[in-house]
Amino acid sequence: MLVGAGCVEKLVTTYVLRAGGKKGGSAVERALTAATLQIEDYTNFDYNARMVAGMHGFSFMQVLEGVMATDLFHKRSFMGEDKFRVIKCPYTEKNILTVPAANPDVCIVHVQRADKDGNAQYWGAMGSVAAAALASKRIIVSCEEIVEHDIIQSSPHLTIIPAYRVDAVVEIPWGAHPTEVLGYYNIDPFMYGLFMMSDAAADGLKSWMDEWVYGCVNRAAYLDRYIGGFGSEILDGIKAKAFYSAPANHGSAFTTRWDREGRERFMGLTMEELEKTFQERGKLYE
Amino acid sequence: MLVGAGCVEKLVTTYVLRAGGKKGGSAVERALTAATLQIEDYTNFDYNARMVAGMHGFSFMQVLEGVMATDLFHKRSFMGEDKFRVIKCPYTEKNILTVPAANPDVCIVHVQRADKDGNAQYWGAMGSVAAAALASKRIIVSCEEIVEHDIIQSSPHLTIIPAYRVDAVVEIPWGAHPTEVLGYYNIDPFMYGLFMMSDAAADGLKSWMDEWVYGCVNRAAYLDRYIGGFGSEILDGIKAKAFYSAPANHGSAFTTRWDREGRERFMGLTMEELEKTFQERGKLYE
Amino acid sequence: MSKPYTLQKLLVIAVAKEIHDYENVILGVGLPTTAGALAKALYAPHATLMMESGIIDFKPLLPLNHIADAHSCRGFSYATDLFSAFTMTYRGFVDVCFLGVGQIDKYGNVNTMAIGDYYKPAMRLPGSGGAADFISYAKRTVLTMLGGNFVNKLDYMTSPGYLKGGDSREKSGLFPKGTGPSMLLTTKGVFRFDEKSREIYLAQIHPRVSIEDIKKEVPWNLKIAPDLSETPRPTDEEIDFIRSFAPAQSAGRELALELTVANMMRKAKVI
Amino acid sequence: MSKPYTLQKLLVIAVAKEIHDYENVILGVGLPTTAGALAKALYAPHATLMMESGIIDFKPLLPLNHIADAHSCRGFSYATDLFSAFTMTYRGFVDVCFLGVGQIDKYGNVNTMAIGDYYKPAMRLPGSGGAADFISYAKRTVLTMLGGNFVNKLDYMTSPGYLKGGDSREKSGLFPKGTGPSMLLTTKGVFRFDEKSREIYLAQIHPRVSIEDIKKEVPWNLKIAPDLSETPRPTDEEIDFIRSFAPAQSAGRELALELTVANMMRKAKVI
């Protein structure tokens, strides 16, 4: 969509969605043919490895050497020598293929839920979501729901971005529509189909964007236009049913050093007895 | 305990627990003084990085270069040159400190729950648990509970080891005692205290092990001896209370391509109508 | 006599039979997912099905929309990330994976990048995605070519097959021993690779197809297995499973799209 | 006049005041955890408290038994692993961390490895743990030395302070600008580091302690701040919090152990 809108001069990619099969096309293909776009191709793993390097603050990451037999390694565009470099393993002497770190300027990520501080929880296919966000210099979290902090605290294994990394958090129900959010809604085959059909030709994509991107002042306007035009039945039909994860008990035996009788659990004394002992032993500063 | 039992000749470590403070001691200190043990020290991160490399099948991992200013880098024991090696970043030319991969022969890991296939779920402080297990050539999972497979399937974000990596799975309630398992029980300060006091001297540790390791034919015998000797009140007192994670909805809108009226969701036809269409279009092979 | 079936069903079954019980399997979207679901239901109940997006050990209930589609199953056993899904393949834990093909050469090298010049293509194909890394390290790779071509020289080599044939893949030092493509499925037949020369040959032929139909699509003198057989007729059980699991796939892409568009026109209040 | 207090409470408070609101803080076990809990309760409610084991953003309800003790809080915000906890520090996201000290030299370099020869030690100390990496990359490091010594030359350099003083840390090229130890707490006083020479000096002195008491433990001519002050008296609020949160710590290690053993003897049916 960004390529179609002319926002992109150079693209580093691993996969280009093609609408309409052989007879169709894509914004990327059109831009390449028109020479308005330069492209650099990696495998999914290689580009992910660039973000994993960036996420950890490393300057490079080792990747899988099989790619050295392919044109992914040999054919290079604007990245030139820095697309891949080969080093020697200091322990085994074998050739190690590497890629440079990537630290995107901004990552906008849509998740299931977050708290108002920005702790973002996501579940389902992890892919490279966490690496893409954490490698980025700024992170904007949009979510289906902003929930209370205690929901997050009880389920820390679902959190993929900690609050201190997040620059902004926004609650946008149906924020991924026409694509899907696990536990909230499925892909909307109708709207997604409309987009794919329009993407097959340049003027089709433009008119789709005029109506559904430029023509909507905000996300609420987009949804209003959708429901006004097509009714709410499709949306109702793709809402997720309940299938909840088996919870994990994060509980411990007690949450204070003092037992029910007010005695310290290790030493067996009440606070008064303890203070008295301190005084007897000359431990107290007046 | 392994060092105290004379099972270890060479130890790669990051942290040596010392019982009894300055006046106390440790099995490692005694073995070093007696020259029966060689030791190689890393930081927590460095040793973890060795297992992360092993987990991913890499031959080395880059680590944080600050250690180059310390004796961790300069003083080496049996690993010699291979403790740390320095390479140049192929992109930035800066010095990169590296450590070699570690792939332990066996990892025995105790977790909260697993299914009978070995999918192991663990929650709480992640530390280096997953890397230690996944880097290892063989993995033995012990767990507080073996649960039904559907419990695991509903909460895949708690799984740290997939079944296909696991060689054996064993259900052992109280399997971490006298240490703790989040959501099951706290540390047992009494038994842990006994162990720490005995560890401060060689003969103390030996008599503790004679009683609690060699003297117990299996884990049930250990627990029986404990309860027989000390009563069950301490164990009851350290059992975890309930504090369950907020569940994640893994549900979707539907789980079959056919709607309630028996029509295919995209094409709007029943199976009979569809087969008829196939026939009309000459698509069917008899 | 078993039930009538579509060609698409035959293709799914041919691929599904490449999945053996207890194997670890990386699926792709489309035909491989349906094949994986079929194998898990009928031939390989203990297979561990996986998607590179980190969905490990799932049972597909619906065809997946994309590699990260967790809506098409009811939970899964292990949520890992893309990085670990590939390094686990690198370490040799994946038995079989499935890749689509745009162009293929005599030795099973694959192009899924571009037709024509890479920098200014006549047609831009999807790219590598996970393909190049999976075919490098999975023990076996099953290739499916539903709309692509056999060529003497690839316009772009995306995914390494047997390189220049013979032992050239092994000798390159880049790939574990014994890895590489094990089969190619097209709409006309099933192809395999000679153990020694690593040249592709026709192993099975689908019903209603002649050897000549196939040969005229291959720009070299295609070798034919001496024991060439016809792709076996689906059983009722196989047909019923695919009918129910993937009705749109049974129809084939063009007919499914036609019927879907017609249905949407009926349903939408406005278009 | 506020309530009476123990020396241990004074120490906790001195450390807690190094945590500022909205900061990211790596805690250690013992005094730092109590200091972190106190700071979070009274001075720095928005601080993000973290353990290197990957417990990120927690509120301690009890003193922790070890760095991976998730029993001492009621959940936390983000479960990450040890690898990421350190690389996040490497990237500069940690404002302050806390390390214990066995030996310390004039420029804040620290030994926590061994007394005597490393290979055959008179006393084996814990080792590095997370120390060397945290002091390398956290913006500030607070050192606590409750049983250790000032020495002219460390028996082993585990954790890098200001190396040879002056700008030697910065010039080494190994550490981000502005990082390094910011303070040392002992049972007798609070020490800081000169902005230029990076030499340690006495900044605060605890009640009942004289400058001479401190000087005789330091084998060089220790510098004293011109504005040397006495460590401030705890407030009732601070005393009450520590009394309740960490009663054993308030007692000090030896007395707490004595009382605990006595209590266990009473409770156990057999020993």
Side-chain angles (χ1 to χ4, degrees), chain D residues 78-152:
Chain D
Y78 176 45
T80 190
D81 60 12
L82 188 141
F83 197 87
S84 297
F86 278 97
T87 58
M88 145 198 112
T89 312
Y90 185 55
R91 287 186 69 192
F93 292 117
V94 171
D95 295 299
V96 54
C97 73
F98 298 88
L99 306 183
V101 171
Q103 290 180 330
I104 189 167
D105 73 12
K106 204 182 222 177
Y107 299 114
N109 302 298
V110 171
N111 173 16
T112 54
M113 186 61 77
I115 304 299
D117 178 41
Y118 165 63
Y119 300 100
K120 238 182 145 171
M123 183 164 23
R124 167 70 203 205
L125 306 178
S128 166
D133 291 309
F134 282 129
I135 199 174
S136 292
Y137 303 102
K139 285 182 190 147
R140 303 193 309 282
T141 299
V142 174
L143 303 171
T144 58
M145 182 165 79
L146 304 183
N149 301 297
F150 292 94
V151 296
N152 277 318

Side-chain angles (χ1 to χ4, degrees), chain B residues 55-57 134 149 153 156 159 162 164-165 252 255-258 264 266-268 275 278 281 284-286, chain C residues 4-5 24 61-62 71 75-79 83 87-88 90-91 93 208 233 243-245 247-248 251 258 263:
Chain B
M55 169 173 79
H56 290 308
L134 295 174
H149 181 60
Q153 272 202 300
T159 306
Y164 67 85
R165 289 299 317 278
S252 64
T255 55
T256 147
R257 291 290 336 142
W258 307 92
E264 206 282 333
F266 285 165
M267 300 179 285
E275 287 296 314
F278 292 167
R281 302 296 180 98
L284 287 186
Y285 290 46
E286 297 292 336
Chain C
Y5 59 94
N24 294 338
L61 300 170
L62 300 161
H71 284 71
F76 48 101
S77 294
Y78 176 46
F83 196 87
T87 58
M88 146 197 110
Y90 185 54
R91 287 186 68 192
F93 293 117
R208 301 187 190 175
R233 187 181 174 81
R243 267 189 190 171
S244 164
F245 178 84
E258 180 196 321
N263 183 44

Side-chain angles (χ1 to χ4, degrees), chain B residues 55-162:
Chain B
M55 169 173 79
H56 290 308
F58 297 152
S59 55
F60 72 95
M61 183 57 70
Q62 50 201 304
V63 294
L64 315 182
E65 62 271 18
V67 163
M68 289 167 70
T70 75
D71 286 331
L72 291 158
F73 182 74
H74 296 298
K75 296 201 176 171
R76 299 175 182 213
S77 170
F78 54 87
M79 288 186 68
E81 291 293 306
D82 276 348
K83 183 180 183 186
F84 289 105
R85 286 183 183 269
V86 179
I87 60 173
K88 281 237 179 290
C89 170
Y91 303 93
T92 63
E93 293 291 307
K94 77 170 185 172
N95 281 332
I96 306 284
L97 184 64
T98 72
V99 290
N103 289 100
D105 290 314
V106 186
C107 177
I108 303 174
V109 60
H110 188 73
V111 301
Q112 280 101 339
R113 67 191 183 202
D115 65 16
K116 66 183 170 53
D117 299 325
N119 290 298
Q121 296 199 326
Y122 169 81
W123 56 91
M126 299 302 283
S128 41
V129 182
L134 295 174
S136 298
K137 290 166 197 156
R138 288 171 173 276
I139 305 173
I140 299 169
V141 170
S142 82
C143 61
E144 291 295 318
E145 296 185 70
I146 291 184
V147 297
E148 291 296 321
H149 181 60
D150 62 359
I151 297 286
I152 303 292
Q153 272 202 300
S154 77
S155 52
H157 293 260
L158 298 173
T159 306
I160 61 162
I161 312 168

Side-chain angles (χ1 to χ4, degrees), chain C residues 192 201-205 224-230:
Chain C
R192 296 193 183 272
Y201 66 86
L202 180 65
Q204 272 180 21
I205 193 162
I224 315 287
D227 58 346
L228 179 73
S229 58
E230 193 176 82

Side-chain angles (χ1 to χ4, degrees), chain C residues 48-66:
Chain C
T48 299
L49 305 183
M50 318 195 261
M51 301 298 294
E52 68 187 87
S53 60
I55 300 175
I56 308 292
D57 189 23
F58 73 113
K59 189 182 155 197
L61 300 170
L62 300 161
L64 274 65
N65 289 314
H66 50 78

Side-chain angles (χ1 to χ4, degrees), chain A residues 134 159 164 281 284-286, chain D residues 5 77 88 91 208 258:
Chain A
L134 295 173
T159 306
Y164 67 84
R281 302 294 181 99
L284 287 186
Y285 289 45
E286 295 293 334
Chain D
Y5 60 93
S77 294
M88 145 198 112
R91 287 186 69 192
R208 301 188 191 175
E258 180 195 321

Side-chain angles (χ1 to χ4, degrees), chain D:
Chain D
M1 197 63 186
S2 61
K3 297 182 183 178
Y5 60 93
T6 62
L7 174 62
Q8 284 72 20
K9 293 196 181 81
L10 193 82
L11 302 180
V12 166
I13 296 160
V15 166
K17 287 184 176 162
E18 294 296 302
I19 298 173
H20 308 142
D21 207 6
Y22 294 97
E23 285 190 334
N24 295 339
V25 185
I26 292 275
L27 297 175
V29 174
L31 196 146
T33 315
T34 306
L38 175 66
K40 184 108 182 141
L42 299 187
Y43 326 129
H46 306 93
T48 299
L49 305 183
M50 318 195 260
M51 300 299 294
E52 69 186 86
S53 60
I55 299 174
I56 307 292
D57 190 22
F58 73 112
K59 189 180 153 199
L61 300 170
L62 301 162
L64 273 65
N65 289 314
H66 52 77
I67 58 165
D69 183 1
H71 284 70
S72 299
C73 54
R74 203 162 161 76
F76 48 102
S77 294
Y78 176 45
T80 190
D81 60 12
L82 188 141
F83 197 87
S84 297
F86 278 97
T87 58
M88 145 198 112
T89 312
Y90 185 55
R91 287 186 69 192
F93 292 117
V94 171
D95 295 299
V96 54
C97 73
F98 298 88
L99 306 183
V101 171
Q103 290 180 330
I104 189 167
D105 73 12
K106 204 182 222 177
Y107 299 114
N109 302 298
V110 171
N111 173 16
T112 54
M113 186 61 77
I115 304 299
D117 178 41
Y118 165 63
Y119 300 100
K120 238 182 145 171
M123 183 164 23
R124 167 70 203 205
L125 306 178
S128 166
D133 291 309
F134 282 129
I135 199 174
S136 292
Y137 303 102
K139 285 182 190 147
R140 303 193 309 282
T141 299
V142 174
L143 303 171
T144 58
M145 182 165 79
L146 304 183
N149 301 297
F150 292 94
V151 296
N152 277 318
K153 194 177 171 344
L154 303 178
D155 291 344
Y156 185 106
M157 203 244 261
T158 315
S159 299
Y162 292 108
L163 304 184
K164 296 174 190 305
D167 57 0
S168 60
R169 181 179 168 107
E170 246 177 85
K171 273 198 168 159
S172 73
L174 298 172
F175 308 99
K177 218 184 134 152
T179 59
S182 59
M183 140 176 179
L184 169 73
L185 175 85
T186 75
T187 54
K188 299 202 166 67
V190 170
F191 303 74
R192 296 192 182 273
F193 296 86
D194 183 77
E195 284 288 303
K196 275 224 150 147
S197 72
R198 298 305 190 182
E199 187 177 325
I200 198 167
Y201 65 87
L202 180 65
Q204 270 180 22
I205 193 163
H206 301 330
R208 301 188 191 175
V209 179
S210 73
I211 291 181
E212 282 320 299
D213 290 338
I214 292 175
K215 281 205 149 191
K216 73 181 173 210
E217 291 182 348
V218 180
W220 64 83
N221 187 16
L222 177 72
K223 299 222 166 94
I224 315 287
D227 59 347
L228 179 73
S229 58
E230 193 176 82
T231 310
R233 188 182 176 80
T235 66
D236 283 359
E237 208 181 9
E238 290 166 337
I239 292 169
D240 287 343
F241 181 88
I242 302 169
R243 267 189 189 172
S244 163
F245 178 84
Q249 208 164 44
S250 301
R253 181 187 279 179
E254 279 185 36
L255 179 56
L257 187 64
E258 180 195 321
L259 296 173
T260 301
V261 170
N263 183 44
M264 282 180 171
M265 298 293 174
R266 276 196 304 273
K267 277 174 87 167
K269 293 201 293 189
V270 187
I271 212 135

